[in-house]
Amino acid sequence: MANTLVTRFGTVPVGFGYAAPAGVYVVGLALVLRDVARETAGRTAVVAAIVAGTVLSWWLADPGLALASAVAFAVAESMDFAVYEPLRRRGLWLAMLASNAVGLLADSLIFLWLAFRSFEFLPGQLLGKAWMTLAAVTVIVLVQRRRDAQVGAVAA
């Protein structure tokens, strides 16, 4: 989806006068969803999804973006996974925020350099992905707290 958005719309505003390639929000969400998948499907499923996502990223991308997209996806998702794993016992939101910070930086640097040979959109990439990460993690934490409150109410 991110590749299609970039090809179709080019760049989009992300706030504070910055712009980024249009797939920026989808990539930010993908990093959070990878963390959620780890909790619900397990490590093996996540590694398989990273491999499948890399292949799909290559296959579905415009030829000019294929390499940049596939490499950025594979490295960023792997780095996110590597940071998330040791932190997940310390709290879901902490693990998600820390791993996504690493993943979004890696994805932005790799994609921008390979796709455009420029870091012109780096501030916009980081900001757009950070917006999506914060929004998604906020929703997840609120849902988790509501579920915990319901379980506590039933137990009482």
Side-chain angles (χ1 to χ4, degrees), residues 1 3 22-23 28 41 50-51 58 60 81-82 86-88 93 100 115 123 125 135 138 148:
M1 183 191 260
N3 294 330
I50 291 171
V51 171
W58 173 270
L60 295 175
F81 186 57
L87 291 178
R88 61 190 280 274
W93 67 269
N100 281 264
Q125 283 274 91
T138 299
D148 291 348

Side-chain angles (χ1 to χ4, degrees), residues 44 76 95 109 137:
T44 303
L109 290 170
V137 169

